[in-house]
Amino acid sequence: MSDMNKALDEIHTSQSLGQKAEIFQSDKGNVSGFPSADLFPLQEPLITPNKQKISIKLCRGNRSTKESEASFSSPLPELLPSTLPPLASECLLPWTKSCTSQVIKVYSEDNTSKAVEVPSDVTAQDVCQLFVLKNHCIDDHAWTLFEHLPHLGIERALEDHEYVMEVLSSWAMDTDSRLYFRKNYAKYEFFRKPLDFFPNHMVSISSETNGMVDHCDLIQTFLNSSTCPEIHGYLHAKEQSRKSWKKSYFVLRRSGLYFSNKGTSKEPRHLQFFADFSDSDVYTVLAAKKLHGAPTEFGFCVKSTKCSSARDLKLLCADDEQTRTCWITAMRLLKFGMQLYQNFIQPHQKQKASPMRSISENSLVAMDFSGQKSRVIENPSEVLSVAVEEGLSWRRKSCHRLSGHGSPSTAQSSVLNIAIHMAQPWFHGKLSREESHRLIAQQGLIDGVFLLRDSQSNPKTFVLSLCYMQKIKHFQILPVDDEGELFYSLDDGQTRFTDLIQLVDFYQLNRGVLPCKLRHHCARITL
């Protein structure tokens, strides 16, 4: 195995990559204010991806990853440039050579933080790749950097290609602004399911007479500069220098955002300019009702990069989550265009082009660790049965470790099954209903995002919180006692599970009584 890793390192380590790492070996860079113990070197990730790929292939959860890779097909194949550079030899951290480096601080969901020294031209995706490697996370391309501005009560997800230092340079010195590292499953979901993000009544295209377009054509109108997409509908806008909000008919075009001063008229003489996006970004407003007196909580705003006070924000408010998501997604597409699509397809192109995958898979062998000595499994038909036996053995050992009193009885086993889920990333313990709403909304309001938590109303039960149709629903998991054995069920005992791990595994494959399958779990990590 060591010979194989050495060979892989030679394939993916070139002279240019060595030059890129030079700045991290020197003492250059602005590291004042941070103790050296908080900094971790950036040279190691250049040789880590090979090891990471091998270990990930052995994980149980990667069965779904293989299926998604095999089934992935670009919804817009004609938009992919035929002259994309080869990605086979690219490193996971493709930083360009830089003569300066600086220190940034990144926070996680539990408010732990890590200081890291980075080049001045590092992108948001580069930083995410670094933390994925350092925290041994599975890279499902959903990890994202968020810009959080608490003094303004707003935040946004940084695009993968954005330069982090440019974002930080716009912060005021005396603010408590932060960068957060967390999941964002909805980042590129509109490429997969555009009709879920763009309702027909809000979209019109100048080249179409009937206003109805195919889902592929819908995205093309935003990516192609020759077409003129238009998003329209009612929004509440906060009037400048006033506390009042006024509901107006808004129109979003390539030239900017406009509102009509005469009903729903789109005539040029009735449209007044509101904002453009050449030097501005779109943010989600947090606690819109409390901070700004908005009529609903579905607030967002357009903020200039030079804006530093809440008075300069151009505040807007939608009537529901779907409307807000449509406006924000359209503004992102009109500002960044084809760059967003390239960010979306780049990880899949790397997976297809990289020789690392085939080398890793060909080098893996099936092993049996159930006996006193490990052995190689020669018979292919034996592999599955050994894997199942090891899984059952692991559960028995887990229960034995938790009990601490020798072999547990049936009653003890039922009680111990309650605790077997505690280490799972989808279980969040004593999380309130409001906190579960906030966590799911932060990590993406798309179908199948879920978490499990303790019930606040009944301490003996659990709750499954699940996102469907951009709304969060809660399902109580009830205990079922059958002749002294404890089971768990979502459908009044018709489908029973010995523990919550079995329950989650089942509903990831079967919809059952749920409105959709469990797809993405809300994850929290400690940096």
Side-chain angles (χ1 to χ4, degrees):
M1 182 68 73
S2 60
D3 293 337
M4 183 193 70
N5 285 336
K6 183 177 180 181
L8 289 177
D9 294 340
E10 292 177 358
I11 293 175
H12 293 275
T13 307
S14 62
Q15 182 180 1
S16 59
L17 292 177
Q19 292 173 350
K20 295 173 189 176
E22 287 178 1
I23 59 171
F24 307 116
Q25 299 171 357
S26 66
D27 293 328
K28 295 180 181 180
N30 177 21
V31 296
S32 58
F34 295 95
S36 59
D38 287 345
L39 301 178
F40 43 76
L42 299 190
Q43 184 183 4
E44 183 184 335
L46 295 176
I47 62 173
T48 305
N50 303 323
K51 300 177 184 178
Q52 183 76 359
K53 285 288 181 180
I54 294 172
S55 60
I56 285 178
K57 281 296 175 184
L58 296 174
C59 291
R60 176 189 66 83
N62 245 41
R63 169 186 51 75
S64 58
T65 306
K66 274 190 173 182
E67 293 174 358
S68 63
E69 289 169 359
S71 61
F72 171 78
S73 60
S74 169
L76 306 169
E78 65 276 9
L79 295 176
L80 177 61
S82 59
T83 58
L84 281 179
L87 299 171
S89 61
E90 283 191 5
C91 178
L92 286 180
L93 303 176
W95 293 328
T96 57
K97 186 175 181 180
S98 174
C99 57
T100 60
S101 58
Q102 301 184 38
V103 169
I104 63 173
K105 202 171 187 179
V106 180
Y107 291 80
S108 65
E109 291 282 0
D110 60 357
N111 285 324
T112 58
S113 62
K114 195 72 176 180
V116 53
E117 185 180 6
V118 297
S120 59
D121 56 356
V122 69
T123 65
Q125 185 182 32
D126 294 335
V127 175
C128 288
Q129 288 289 332
L130 171 66
F131 281 99
V132 164
L133 293 174
K134 281 295 180 180
N135 290 279
H136 308 291
C137 306
I138 294 179
D139 188 8
D140 55 2
H141 316 304
W143 292 103
T144 309
L145 276 188
F146 281 79
E147 179 189 10
H148 181 71
L149 308 177
H151 64 290
L152 299 178
I154 60 177
E155 73 173 17
R156 73 178 179 102
L158 297 186
E159 304 297 349
D160 288 338
H161 64 275
E162 287 192 76
Y163 293 108
V164 175
M165 301 315 301
E166 287 185 6
V167 175
L168 269 59
S169 65
S170 65
W171 293 358
M173 295 295 294
D174 56 346
T175 65
D176 52 353
S177 304
R178 290 182 174 184
L179 288 177
Y180 276 91
F181 173 69
R182 64 172 181 248
K183 294 273 192 179
N184 181 17
Y185 293 111
K187 182 163 54 172
Y188 300 124
E189 189 69 11
F190 56 88
F191 283 120
R192 300 182 180 94
K193 298 180 179 180
L195 296 183
D196 291 350
F197 286 76
F198 298 102
N200 286 331
H201 68 276
M202 293 184 63
V203 183
S204 62
I205 300 173
S206 59
S207 59
E208 297 290 331
T209 56
N210 57 7
M212 301 293 291
V213 291
D214 183 74
H215 70 281
C216 289
D217 297 334
L218 178 61
I219 297 296
Q220 284 187 43
T221 59
F222 289 97
L223 303 184
N224 297 335
S225 58
S226 59
T227 55
C228 300
E230 188 176 273
I231 304 295
H232 49 82
Y234 281 98
L235 288 172
H236 304 270
K238 188 174 183 182
E239 300 184 82
Q240 291 290 334
S241 304
R242 295 184 183 181
K243 294 184 178 181
S244 60
W245 291 72
K246 182 179 180 180
K247 192 171 186 178
S248 302
Y249 189 77
F250 278 79
V251 179
L252 176 64
R253 294 173 177 171
R254 289 200 180 278
S255 55
L257 182 63
Y258 303 85
F259 67 93
S260 177
N261 57 15
K262 190 173 182 180
T264 59
S265 174
K266 297 181 183 179
E267 295 184 23
R269 59 195 180 96
H270 294 148
L271 292 180
Q272 295 188 20
F273 176 78
F274 185 82
D276 64 7
F277 309 101
S278 58
D279 195 29
S280 302
D281 293 298
V282 185
Y283 290 76
T284 299
V285 177
L286 309 173
K289 282 186 175 181
K290 181 180 179 181
L291 293 179
H292 304 286
T296 73
E297 287 290 3
F298 309 108
F300 62 103
C301 70
V302 180
K303 173 187 171 296
S304 170
T305 53
K306 300 176 182 179
C307 166
S308 58
S309 67
R311 292 176 300 176
D312 300 324
L313 298 178
K314 296 184 178 180
L315 295 165
L316 296 164
C317 180
D319 289 327
D320 52 65
E321 182 60 51
Q322 185 183 40
T323 302
R324 176 171 70 171
T325 301
C326 179
W327 285 101
I328 293 178
T329 305
M331 291 173 184
R332 288 176 59 204
L333 279 167
L334 288 178
K335 178 175 182 178
F336 298 109
M338 180 61 76
Q339 182 63 60
L340 285 188
Y341 184 68
Q342 291 177 349
N343 293 347
F344 166 60
I345 58 137
Q346 186 178 15
H348 303 282
Q349 292 295 319
K350 282 186 176 181
Q351 289 172 357
K352 291 178 182 179
S354 175
M356 221 166 16
R357 178 181 310 279
S358 59
I359 294 175
S360 301
E361 288 177 347
N362 293 337
S363 304
L364 295 178
V365 293
M367 299 289 292
D368 178 14
F369 298 98
S370 58
Q372 292 183 348
K373 292 184 178 181
S374 60
R375 67 182 180 91
V376 176
I377 302 175
E378 303 290 349
N379 185 2
S381 61
E382 189 186 357
V383 173
L384 181 60
S385 61
V386 170
V388 173
E389 178 60 30
E390 283 192 4
L392 296 174
S393 175
W394 174 83
R395 290 197 179 190
R396 286 194 295 268
K397 290 177 181 177
S398 298
C399 290
H400 181 73
R401 285 195 303 270
L402 289 169
S403 67
H405 301 289
S407 180
S409 64
T410 303
Q412 286 177 320
S413 224
S414 299
V415 174
L416 292 172
N417 282 343
I418 300 176
I420 201 172
H421 58 268
M422 298 293 287
Q424 299 301 311
W426 38 256
F427 186 75
H428 292 263
K430 295 180 180 180
L431 196 69
S432 68
R433 189 184 184 96
E434 293 73 22
E435 288 173 331
S436 66
H437 272 256
R438 181 185 61 83
L439 186 59
I440 292 177
Q442 283 181 343
Q443 300 199 10
L445 288 174
I446 63 173
D447 292 354
V449 177
F450 74 98
L451 60 84
L452 267 71
R453 56 187 175 88
D454 290 316
S455 173
Q456 289 184 309
S457 57
N458 189 344
K460 294 183 179 180
T461 64
F462 302 95
V463 176
L464 168 66
S465 299
L466 173 66
C467 179
Y468 177 68
M469 299 293 290
Q470 297 183 341
K471 294 181 180 179
I472 301 171
K473 303 177 182 293
H474 304 274
F475 303 88
Q476 197 165 39
I477 302 172
L478 298 174
V480 178
D481 191 345
D482 186 2
E483 297 181 358
E485 289 194 50
L486 188 64
F487 298 93
Y488 294 94
S489 176
L490 275 172
D491 52 8
D492 296 327
Q494 305 220 354
T495 311
R496 304 179 183 184
F497 307 94
T498 58
D499 54 51
L500 296 184
I501 296 178
Q502 282 188 353
L503 185 145
V504 170
D505 287 347
F506 176 83
Y507 287 106
Q508 284 178 328
L509 299 173
N510 309 276
R511 192 181 75 174
V513 295
L514 300 177
C516 64
K517 296 178 185 178
L518 307 182
R519 289 180 57 200
H520 309 291
H521 66 268
C522 286
R524 279 178 167 173
I525 64 168
T526 298
L527 295 180

